[in-house]
Amino acid sequence: MPGRTSGSSGAAPRIDFDSSARPTLGVEWEVALVDQTSLDLVNSAAAVMDGVTELAGAQTPRVTKELLRNTVELVTGVCDNVGEAMDDLGESLDLVRRAADPLGIDLICAGTHPFAEWSTQVLTRSPSYDELIARTQWWGRQMLIWGVHVHVGISSPDKVFPILNSLLLQYPHLLALSASSPIWAGNDTGYASNRALMFQQLPTAGLPFQFENWGQFEGFVRDQMKTGVIEQLGGMHWDIRPAPKWGTIEVRVCDGVSTKRELAALVALTHCLIVDLDERLEAGEELPSMPPWHVQENKWRAARYGLDAEIILDADSNERLVTDDLNDLLEKLTPTAVRLGCADELASVADIPRLGASYQRQRRVASDAGGDLKAVVGSLVTDLKA
């Protein structure tokens, strides 16, 4: 049947969730490789990975390949707090930088590269990547984008969807703060996060469904597998999704984050948001949620306007400037941050609007440089080295 891969049949599969006894933390940080002279993307991930392996010696480096050969992904182990996760990522980033520099390669992280052409990029061959491109064709090949994924441990599958559904209220905060993809293929798109809207063009990407419980999710997975939409859970690329293998909720909202300080802030915010919701659920509170149409509109507003977005706050359709709401949110989460040992990192979230988010800084550099997009990439190189 056209548009269908091989499917499966049968009753709803039982999806075991490897529950976490504590709110552990894991982070995946996608980093792009650019030529030190041209500042264009280079498809040299294999050579960089070889260098990383050699430098790591007997240790197993936490650096992996990605869909495109211009990218490596830094992956933490299972961490207890933000500081531990950032130390882990810092070690991996240092290894990648030491492997890349002799090859004439610099590193950047942003939602998009300002002027690279998608048609010149080389794909990493693997069964899952091959299937993705075979199915999605032009849109799959266009995915010249980078992001950050944050996992937080959850103690029971029964908690997953109440927390996930409520977390969608803070979707626009996370996207607006991390937005770093205003320019794509040489053009200012007018969006703070062009990546967010590009990625949702894939058939299994975008906002998650708001299921009431784990059983509904298992039924959904059965339907998806029976009809050949996905072959495995990893083929579901929602912006926020359960990760049963790890016993986590995985938050994939954020654009690629350009500096280590901003990354620590956004990881802290994500950790605190989920732990706060978990604790409120444990206390018997019914967590707030919003209709899908409000969630969808908030995503668009944050992608379009970034930190200037007027967002919808609740099911009653009240609205507020995202930065005004952020101030109250940070104050509410501070006690949670103190308990999690990330009070300083959470406090630094407020520096992002004060100093300018990455999408704002990129536009400022482009303006000051008379539209020279190499200058924008150069600023991203500097950001990641800072």
Side-chain angles (χ1 to χ4, degrees):
M1 180 183 297
R4 185 180 186 273
T5 58
S6 59
S8 59
S9 61
R14 176 180 172 83
I15 301 174
D16 292 325
F17 185 83
D18 192 11
S19 302
S20 176
R22 62 190 196 283
T24 52
L25 188 63
V27 184
E28 303 165 12
W29 191 15
E30 296 172 349
V31 174
L33 310 174
V34 297
D35 180 82
Q36 290 176 349
T37 302
S38 70
L39 296 178
D40 200 355
L41 291 170
V42 291
N43 293 284
S44 301
V48 171
M49 292 283 287
D50 287 344
V52 166
T53 301
E54 185 176 342
L55 288 167
Q59 295 180 331
T60 302
R62 295 195 179 106
V63 183
T64 65
K65 62 184 179 181
E66 263 295 324
L67 171 64
L68 296 173
R69 295 190 189 182
N70 54 39
T71 302
V72 294
E73 184 176 57
L74 316 183
V75 181
T76 70
V78 178
C79 301
D80 287 316
N81 53 57
V82 176
E84 186 180 333
M86 293 308 300
D87 286 346
D88 198 333
L89 291 171
E91 291 177 7
S92 296
L93 184 64
D94 180 63
L95 271 177
V96 172
R97 196 181 301 284
R98 288 164 56 201
D101 189 60
L103 301 172
I105 295 171
D106 270 325
L107 312 176
I108 66 168
C109 187
T112 55
H113 184 286
F115 63 82
E117 294 291 339
W118 68 267
S119 57
T120 64
Q121 308 309 313
V122 180
L123 296 166
T124 300
R125 297 303 303 272
S126 78
S128 60
Y129 291 154
D130 290 350
E131 193 278 331
L132 173 67
I133 297 303
R135 183 163 192 246
T136 61
Q137 293 293 300
W138 188 80
W139 274 114
R141 289 283 287 118
Q142 289 250 49
M143 292 295 123
L144 199 57
I145 53 177
W146 296 267
V148 170
H149 307 159
V150 181
H151 291 258
V152 178
I154 304 296
S155 61
S156 166
D158 295 332
K159 291 182 175 181
V160 168
F161 281 97
I163 292 173
L164 187 156
N165 296 342
S166 194
L167 185 61
L168 289 169
L169 274 70
Q170 277 73 53
Y171 186 112
H173 305 70
L174 292 168
L175 183 57
L177 288 162
S178 67
S180 61
S181 50
I183 308 169
W184 194 78
N187 298 295
D188 190 317
T189 64
Y191 283 78
S193 173
N194 189 51
R195 166 196 161 271
L197 300 187
M198 285 189 63
F199 191 48
Q200 71 182 15
Q201 304 308 313
L202 298 183
T204 61
L207 291 167
F209 295 106
Q210 296 185 44
F211 296 118
E212 293 181 7
N213 53 56
W214 191 254
Q216 286 185 357
F217 174 63
E218 289 178 323
F220 162 80
V221 172
R222 174 203 59 204
D223 293 345
Q224 297 290 285
M225 289 186 168
K226 184 174 181 179
T227 56
V229 177
I230 60 173
E231 298 294 323
Q232 56 180 335
L233 276 177
M236 184 183 63
H237 302 290
W238 291 344
D239 297 339
I240 307 175
R241 66 182 183 181
K245 179 180 178 181
W246 310 115
T248 65
I249 289 175
E250 181 185 3
V251 180
R252 302 153 54 88
V253 174
C254 292
D255 271 9
V257 180
S258 304
T259 74
K260 287 184 283 187
R261 180 178 175 81
E262 288 173 326
L263 181 62
L266 290 164
V267 171
L269 177 58
T270 305
H271 201 196
C272 290
L273 281 169
I274 292 178
V275 171
D276 172 68
L277 290 170
D278 194 333
E279 291 174 346
R280 288 159 60 188
L281 193 61
E282 284 278 0
E285 180 179 340
E286 184 176 349
L287 299 180
S289 62
M290 277 201 306
W293 48 90
H294 283 348
V295 175
Q296 180 176 308
E297 175 64 14
N298 271 347
K299 176 178 180 177
W300 185 86
R301 292 185 186 186
R304 170 66 176 88
Y305 300 110
L307 294 171
D308 293 319
E310 187 101 354
I311 63 168
I312 303 167
L313 298 176
D314 50 40
D316 293 328
S317 305
N318 294 302
E319 297 174 283
R320 194 181 190 192
L321 184 67
V322 67
T323 47
D324 290 343
D325 196 61
L326 178 67
N327 292 332
D328 290 347
L329 181 64
L330 294 178
E331 184 177 350
K332 184 184 81 170
L333 291 175
T334 295
T336 302
V338 171
R339 292 196 301 276
L340 293 174
C342 61
D344 290 343
E345 290 91 343
L346 183 71
S348 68
V349 171
D351 291 338
I352 297 175
R354 183 174 63 84
L355 300 174
S358 180
Y359 77 93
Q360 295 170 318
R361 300 196 304 269
Q362 289 180 52
R363 284 186 169 136
R364 189 161 56 237
V365 170
S367 177
D368 291 345
D372 180 8
L373 297 183
K374 285 184 65 174
V376 177
V377 182
S379 72
L380 291 170
V381 170
T382 301
D383 275 352
L384 196 54
K385 287 181 177 178

